[in-house]
Amino acid sequence: MGRLVFLVRAEDQHPPLRAARRTGPGWRIRVGTFAATAAMVSAGIVLGAGPASAAPAPIKLTSASCPTDIVQGQTSGCVTELQRLLNTHGAGLTVDGQFGSATLYAVREYQAATAIAVDGRVGPVTKSKLYATGGSAPSPVNLNSSSCPANLVQGAKGGCVTELQRLLIHHGYVVDVDGDFGGGTASAVRSFQSAHGLSVDGQVGTNTKRALYDTDESPSTGLDLRSASCPANIVEGQSGGCVATLQSLLNGKGHSLDVDGSFGPQTLAAVKSFQSASGLSVDGEVGPNTKAALYSNIGGGGGSGAPAPINLTSASCPNEIVQGQRSGCVTELQSLLNHHGADLAVDGDFGPLTDSAVRDFQSEKGLAVDGHVGPNTKAALYGAVTPPSSPAPGGGYAKILDVAAAEAGTVEGSARANSYGSAVGLSLSTSNYAWCATFVSWVAKQTGASSYRNTYVSGWVKQARAGNYHLSVTTNPQPGDIVAFDWNGGSDFTGGHEHIGIVRTVSGGSSFTTVEGNTSNPNGGGDGVYVKSRSTNSGYDVVFIRVR
């Protein structure tokens, strides 16, 4: 049986050119989700169960003997099998064949951790994922946490090694995720260090940890479409975590979409089909009524899902939101935390994991770390989701280069850089994700050159190769064209080593210059929007995209 691997897509990671990104302790990566669950179970916090009894014999979840959806309240060998599979991921459940509150909690946590719509129902997608990711590696522990040694070395075992191996896979290395720092892992670490210009000693210290966490985490499908973190109307052309959640919810209603966070023609057709079947206006726009219908009959074993989100600063929310509360204020809180990089189940229940995420956020923002969501924490949570905007100049493809070049010198993490995310429905700080494709999307929106938006380079290449959205591939690059890079070759633009920018000048030979977002400062310092010199014969693959 395969081992659980948390996949994260990364962009702009040409090792020689990339500056190490800052990572707050325990923030951008889920830390020991199931270890926390197991601890609560052993402490009796979420159980409330009686003495253990003999469990029914396990039945494979995908067999005809199990219902399509396994939900809270059921007792059977199917539940026995479910609990056994969840325990291979560290859930720490009593295997009794009874789908109670502890099993529901573990199902939701597993769904959140593996990018499945967090509905607590074990349907076809969750079943398939459980069998695909089953394993017994220790739960991952953030390498920057106090639980991990300052230098992780060969011979170590445990959750810190699981996390290391998971991150190495993100960067394209092939290792077993087993929590055991053996020869294969050591070899991958040395290769990683060499590729990133680090001391090649095989020890995972401060600099290596920082470089390992330099990944682009696709927005979580834990985002609630009804929260302030998602647009009021989600429409074709948008991308990000809200679209990924939409696709997961549509799949839960019988569709078979790729959950790639890109609202393209197939997602549009699925939305219209769902609207028609639900007696809604068939306009392809996911507004309040469509969102409500998508969330109907999901949640705690068939309930109504999370409470509707409420703005934290409204009179309906208490001055301080604290652990133990359950309300729409908590729904909003969880969605906002996810938008800042957490990976919570958006269920409106302020439990230990939400408390931990609040404390991580407070620590990162320099606030009092008390787990209480008071006025200062609320203000900080909303601070990064109201970026400044500027009037779109228009001008179509002829203005692409002018608009891009005018942004040169914009520093990552600044209000201006953070505003680029508005083009794709994101309000994350650019310090928290790789935003090269977001910058290109923003330029496209500002100029009106194309209606296509995507946070992934692969999406731009795919649409250009298909001739969609006024995009096409060209072998005769001109200033104002888009250029995509596949640093590790293959021209498939997958695997987490891609980048994208705007062509600035072409020399007539193999050399050209670009304007790129999320790229290193040629003069030293932090990442941002800068002019770079590139070439078509430098060992990486290049695709030029024309916008007409």
Side-chain angles (χ1 to χ4, degrees):
M1 185 175 291
R3 297 182 176 91
L4 176 61
V5 176
F6 294 89
L7 293 178
V8 175
R9 301 176 66 178
E11 304 192 2
D12 189 17
Q13 297 198 29
H14 186 200
L17 301 172
R18 180 69 178 175
R21 186 179 307 284
R22 303 160 299 283
T23 304
W27 183 237
R28 293 177 55 212
I29 305 293
R30 173 182 294 270
V31 182
T33 295
F34 286 112
T37 305
M40 289 183 289
V41 169
S42 64
I45 295 175
V46 297
L47 274 178
S53 56
I59 302 172
K60 189 168 183 177
L61 303 185
T62 55
S63 73
S65 300
C66 291
T68 301
D69 282 1
I70 305 171
V71 299
Q72 186 175 12
Q74 295 176 2
T75 301
S76 68
C78 305
V79 179
T80 301
E81 175 78 345
L82 168 63
Q83 292 169 328
R84 184 190 67 78
L85 289 168
L86 289 168
N87 281 349
T88 66
H89 300 300
L93 296 168
T94 298
V95 180
D96 56 8
Q98 300 178 29
F99 197 137
S101 58
T103 302
L104 174 65
Y105 189 92
V107 167
R108 286 177 175 270
E109 289 306 306
Y110 175 78
Q111 289 172 325
T114 54
I116 303 172
V118 183
D119 58 13
R121 304 173 71 89
V122 185
V125 174
T126 303
K127 292 176 184 177
S128 175
K129 184 76 77 171
L130 280 164
Y131 281 114
T133 61
S136 56
S139 296
V141 178
N142 190 286
L143 300 181
N144 294 308
S145 73
S146 59
S147 300
C148 293
N151 285 288
L152 195 61
V153 299
Q154 187 170 354
K157 296 182 180 182
C160 303
V161 180
T162 301
E163 176 80 343
L164 166 63
Q165 293 166 330
R166 186 180 71 82
L167 290 167
L168 286 168
I169 286 175
H170 295 170
H171 287 276
Y173 297 91
V174 179
V175 296
D176 287 335
V177 181
D178 56 8
D180 187 348
F181 196 143
T185 300
S187 177
V189 168
R190 289 189 174 92
S191 295
F192 175 84
Q193 290 171 326
S194 176
H196 286 72
L198 302 168
S199 297
V200 183
D201 57 8
Q203 298 186 22
V204 183
T206 302
N207 293 334
T208 302
K209 291 176 183 178
R210 184 183 298 115
L212 282 165
Y213 278 117
D214 187 9
T215 58
D216 172 23
E217 298 194 63
S218 58
S220 168
T221 53
L223 288 173
D224 191 310
L225 301 186
R226 302 162 296 182
S227 75
S229 298
C230 291
N233 285 285
I234 304 171
V235 299
E236 185 178 14
Q238 294 178 351
S239 64
C242 300
V243 177
T245 297
L246 167 63
Q247 292 166 327
S248 292
L249 289 169
L250 287 167
N251 286 346
K253 301 294 183 180
H255 296 274
S256 300
L257 297 169
D258 288 335
V259 182
D260 59 5
S262 179
F263 195 138
Q266 291 183 324
T267 301
L268 177 65
V271 168
K272 289 183 175 180
S273 174
F274 172 76
Q275 289 173 326
S276 176
S278 302
L280 302 169
S281 176
V282 182
D283 56 9
E285 297 188 5
V286 183
N289 292 336
T290 302
K291 291 177 184 179
L294 284 164
Y295 278 99
S296 66
N297 297 320
I298 70 169
S304 58
I310 301 172
N311 191 292
L312 302 185
T313 59
S314 73
S316 301
C317 290
N319 185 57
E320 287 197 338
I321 304 169
V322 298
Q323 186 171 352
Q325 295 177 1
R326 175 177 169 80
S327 68
C329 305
V330 180
T331 301
E332 176 81 344
L333 167 64
Q334 291 168 327
S335 291
L336 288 168
L337 287 167
N338 282 350
H339 228 48
H340 285 278
D343 191 10
L344 297 167
V346 180
D347 56 8
D349 189 353
F350 196 138
L353 293 175
T354 301
D355 179 73
S356 177
V358 168
R359 292 174 185 271
D360 284 338
F361 175 78
Q362 291 172 326
S363 175
E364 184 177 87
K365 297 301 180 182
L367 303 169
V369 182
D370 56 9
H372 293 194
V373 184
N376 291 338
T377 302
K378 292 176 184 179
L381 283 163
Y382 282 114
V385 296
T386 54
S389 60
S390 57
Y397 70 86
K399 287 292 185 181
I400 287 178
L401 179 57
D402 291 344
V403 170
E407 299 300 309
T410 301
V411 178
E412 178 179 285
S414 66
R416 181 64 177 176
N418 294 346
S419 73
Y420 301 147
S422 63
V424 291
L426 280 179
S427 50
L428 290 168
S429 168
T430 45
S431 297
N432 290 337
Y433 73 110
W435 48 278
C436 56
T438 296
F439 175 67
V440 171
S441 297
W442 180 84
V443 172
K445 182 177 181 181
Q446 292 292 99
T447 59
S450 171
S451 63
Y452 189 63
R453 317 276 185 266
N454 203 311
T455 57
Y456 291 115
V457 177
S458 57
W460 285 92
V461 174
K462 177 181 178 181
Q463 297 303 334
R465 285 173 169 169
N468 298 328
Y469 299 101
H470 301 288
L471 305 174
S472 61
V473 174
T474 180
T475 57
N476 180 32
Q478 301 294 327
D481 286 341
I482 296 169
V483 57
F485 305 91
D486 191 343
W487 299 135
N488 60 349
S491 284
D492 56 358
F493 292 85
T494 61
H497 296 272
E498 298 81 47
H499 186 47
I500 196 166
I502 309 293
V503 176
R504 178 174 171 268
T505 62
V506 180
S507 67
S510 63
S511 299
F512 59 98
T513 65
T514 58
V515 180
E516 304 170 7
N518 192 42
T519 196
S520 58
N521 186 339
N523 300 315
D527 293 0
V529 180
Y530 297 107
V531 175
K532 305 301 283 284
S533 296
R534 300 295 193 191
S535 173
T536 57
N537 61 0
S538 294
Y540 45 78
D541 291 328
V542 177
V543 168
F544 294 101
I545 300 171
R546 179 142 300 162
V547 188
R548 292 288 190 274

